[in-house]
Amino acid sequence: MENKKNVIIIMTDQQRADLRKGCGYELDTMPFLDEWAKGGVDFENAYTPNPTCMPARVSMMTGRYSECHQVRTNHNLQDALYTEDLLDVLKKNGYVTALCGKNHSHRSSEDFDFHECTGHLGNEGEVNTTPAECEFANFLNSTHHMEMHVPSPGGVEVQHPYRNVSSALQFIDSLDHEPFFAWVSFAEPHNPYQVPEPYFDMFPPEQLPPLHGTTENLEEKGDRYPWIRNVWEKVLGESVEERILRARSNYHGMLRLIDDQVKRLIEGLRERGLEENTIVIYVSDHGDFVGEYGLIRKGPDLPDVLTHIPMILKGPDIVHQGRRGSCFVSLVDILPTLCDMLGLETPLGCQGKSFLPLLKNSDIPEREFDTAYAESGFSGQYWNEHDGLTLPAENAVSPEWDRFDCLNTWTQCGQVRALWKGTYHIQVDMMGSGYLYNRKTDPFELHNLWEEPDMQGVKCELLTELAAAMLKAADILPVPHKRYRTKVHPKGYWYQEWSCEDMGVRKMKAIGSRGLERV
């Protein structure tokens, strides 16, 4: 039988791209990952297509942008629109599949051949049997998604990343030489910001590096930034700064805990003789403010701290390059890239592109990886304080105002689009409000260049690129009927000359939340 490559996607939830020493950060949060990445490709410019959990995860699985797969919030899983996703493609090609950890996608856990799920609060699929596991689950439930000021009980072995890796190794050991796909999906370092010893004060609050953006920068970021800061001040109270500092400390500690578990997984592959034949992808769904601008978690718009993600690939046929800059890649590119690496057909409707040439560092197509594009918003107008909807009425805050959902009607309304090219980042909303930043000279995006006279040429160029990206992201589904033919490059490229054979009219039929199916 053909020796098919195995695939593991290690996904963290809400991990910023820049908080690693290997990325220039002054603290050594993830030493194993930094060293491991030197033997693969560690993309400097990797982006999420939408900085929200479910839209981003559906994009990774389908290779489609949120406006087209239609899961634009964390509450639209039933609306997913696609032909085939990563799970479909691998299962029909003989792969045994596993979900170990957080799902939060359009697929049910039962769609995987093996699943052991975990979430954020101890009651989202976890099977807690030992006294220590039950105590930890109760602890998580008591956090209400807030930061914890004491070490988590039970030590490392009750933590979900540890259990996720144990599940993955258990799954691998159950196989009889079949090719496998494992989605090892950590629900951390997402809130609640909690971590056990010895990680709790591994990065003490008082020794953390100073923030770059503060509350003084909020006004220039747009109306939604001071609005969400005001909510946090009400929720966190007079100790808001102290609580954000503890959240930052716990976040750093969780990065190190995750790093140790990634090491355990990779060493487990090595011990089983599987490392050389396994494609491993390390990625996150989106970022976190981690204190910048006086904010935590996520929320408004498409800032770099929320959209810029880690993405590292290592395995067979991947040239050792370490950090790779200049080119841009996205979560939507993972499906077509894996199809290309495994010699499989990319599903119709996939909007990403194969970056296999970047992994091989050979025959890189011109212009294909010059930009990244992202979307946010569920449409409509912006809500504000003059409207008749309140945060308690929407259930975005608790009646006591001691907890807060930062993804709510106010932060997710409207439509926002963004593009990255070179050192620049441009963002525009449906009202024509714009932001332009030079990431090289202003990496934390504190100075908006939109109105600067000497930046109008750059702004014009990037607006043109953004318009082109939005048009490229227009959906080809459902495909036209009768005589029209849709020409789609098999690797998702746009700028390469090629001749397409007449494949006839592509006939599709809608089958609801399970996407589209070929007739």
Side-chain angles (χ1 to χ4, degrees), residues 174 311 429:
S174 72
M311 187 185 293
D429 72 359

Side-chain angles (χ1 to χ4, degrees), residues 22-315:
C23 304
Y25 192 51
E26 60 186 270
L27 299 181
D28 197 8
T29 56
M30 307 190 80
F32 175 80
L33 190 68
D34 285 341
E35 188 63 30
W36 179 78
K38 294 177 182 177
V41 181
D42 184 358
F43 285 107
E44 186 176 331
N45 293 312
Y47 284 84
T48 183
N50 190 315
T52 312
C53 293
M54 185 174 285
R57 289 160 184 263
V58 176
S59 284
M60 182 188 77
M61 295 288 283
T62 65
R64 288 164 57 75
Y65 288 98
S66 53
E67 186 66 17
C68 292
H69 65 57
Q70 300 187 15
V71 182
R72 295 176 293 177
T73 75
N74 279 341
H75 307 284
N76 289 94
L77 68 87
Q78 69 271 25
D79 300 314
L81 183 69
Y82 60 99
T83 57
E84 292 178 314
D85 63 13
L86 179 60
L87 200 59
D88 294 321
V89 169
L90 293 178
K91 285 174 75 76
K92 79 175 186 180
N93 282 280
Y95 279 75
V96 185
T97 62
L99 166 63
C100 306
K102 177 178 174 176
N103 186 351
H104 212 186
S105 77
H106 61 294
R107 301 303 296 252
S108 71
S109 302
E110 289 73 20
D111 290 339
F112 295 80
D113 298 303
F114 172 99
H115 68 274
E116 287 190 358
C117 297
T118 54
H120 299 298
L121 296 181
N123 58 357
E124 297 164 292
E126 296 86 349
V127 177
N128 301 301
T129 55
T130 69
E133 289 173 348
C134 293
E135 180 187 11
F136 179 59
N138 291 333
F139 173 81
L140 288 180
N141 276 305
S142 73
T143 65
H144 304 302
H145 272 296
M146 307 305 286
E147 84 293 343
M148 291 293 100
H149 295 257
V150 295
S152 306
V156 175
E157 293 189 5
V158 300
Q159 287 283 323
H160 293 159
Y162 183 94
R163 291 158 71 175
N164 300 152
V165 170
S166 297
S167 297
L169 296 176
Q170 175 191 343
F171 161 68
I172 291 169
D173 288 340
S174 72
L175 301 174
D176 186 21
H177 305 293
E178 303 98 329
F180 66 83
F181 163 62
W183 185 16
V184 184
S185 181
F186 303 142
E188 294 79 13
H190 187 289
N191 48 284
Y193 301 113
Q194 59 80 29
V195 71
E197 297 287 10
Y199 305 96
F200 181 72
D201 266 336
M202 188 173 285
F203 303 94
E206 65 276 8
Q207 296 179 21
L208 293 177
L211 294 166
H212 299 82
T214 68
T215 54
E216 295 178 2
N217 305 112
L218 286 171
E219 294 295 337
E220 192 170 344
K221 299 295 293 181
D223 293 341
R224 292 203 271 199
Y225 284 76
W227 178 88
I228 197 171
R229 168 66 188 195
N230 288 336
V231 177
W232 279 122
E233 288 178 354
K234 188 170 183 178
V235 171
L236 299 179
E238 295 181 357
S239 57
V240 55
E241 303 303 339
E242 175 189 346
R243 294 184 66 176
I244 289 177
L245 198 58
R246 172 43 68 184
R248 291 180 64 204
S249 175
N250 291 356
Y251 187 95
H252 284 68
M254 185 54 72
L255 290 178
R256 177 61 69 85
L257 186 150
I258 289 170
D259 189 64
D260 287 343
Q261 296 314 306
V262 172
K263 178 181 180 180
R264 183 166 157 252
L265 177 60
I266 299 302
E267 289 180 346
L269 291 176
R270 191 172 301 148
E271 291 166 0
R272 290 160 174 78
L274 295 170
E275 185 179 21
E276 297 303 317
N277 194 47
T278 302
I279 300 166
V280 179
I281 303 174
Y282 183 95
V283 73
S284 189
D285 54 359
H286 54 78
D288 188 308
F289 284 115
V290 199
E292 297 296 342
Y293 322 119
L295 303 176
I296 52 174
R297 304 187 192 175
K298 49 195 179 289
D301 303 339
L302 296 164
D304 207 73
V305 291
L306 297 187
T307 50
H308 197 176
I309 58 172
M311 187 185 293
I312 306 167
L313 289 91
K314 187 176 180 181

Side-chain angles (χ1 to χ4, degrees), residues 319-361:
V319 175
H320 300 186
Q321 301 174 59
R323 291 286 282 172
R324 183 180 184 109
S326 69
C327 55
F328 289 81
V329 294
S330 170
L331 275 181
V332 297
D333 299 329
I334 286 179
L335 172 57
T337 299
L338 284 174
C339 287
D340 201 7
M341 297 181 78
L342 301 174
L344 307 176
E345 182 182 359
T346 301
L348 184 64
C350 180
Q351 297 171 307
K353 60 190 71 172
S354 170
F355 53 72
L356 180 57
L358 298 178
L359 301 178
K360 291 185 172 183
N361 201 25

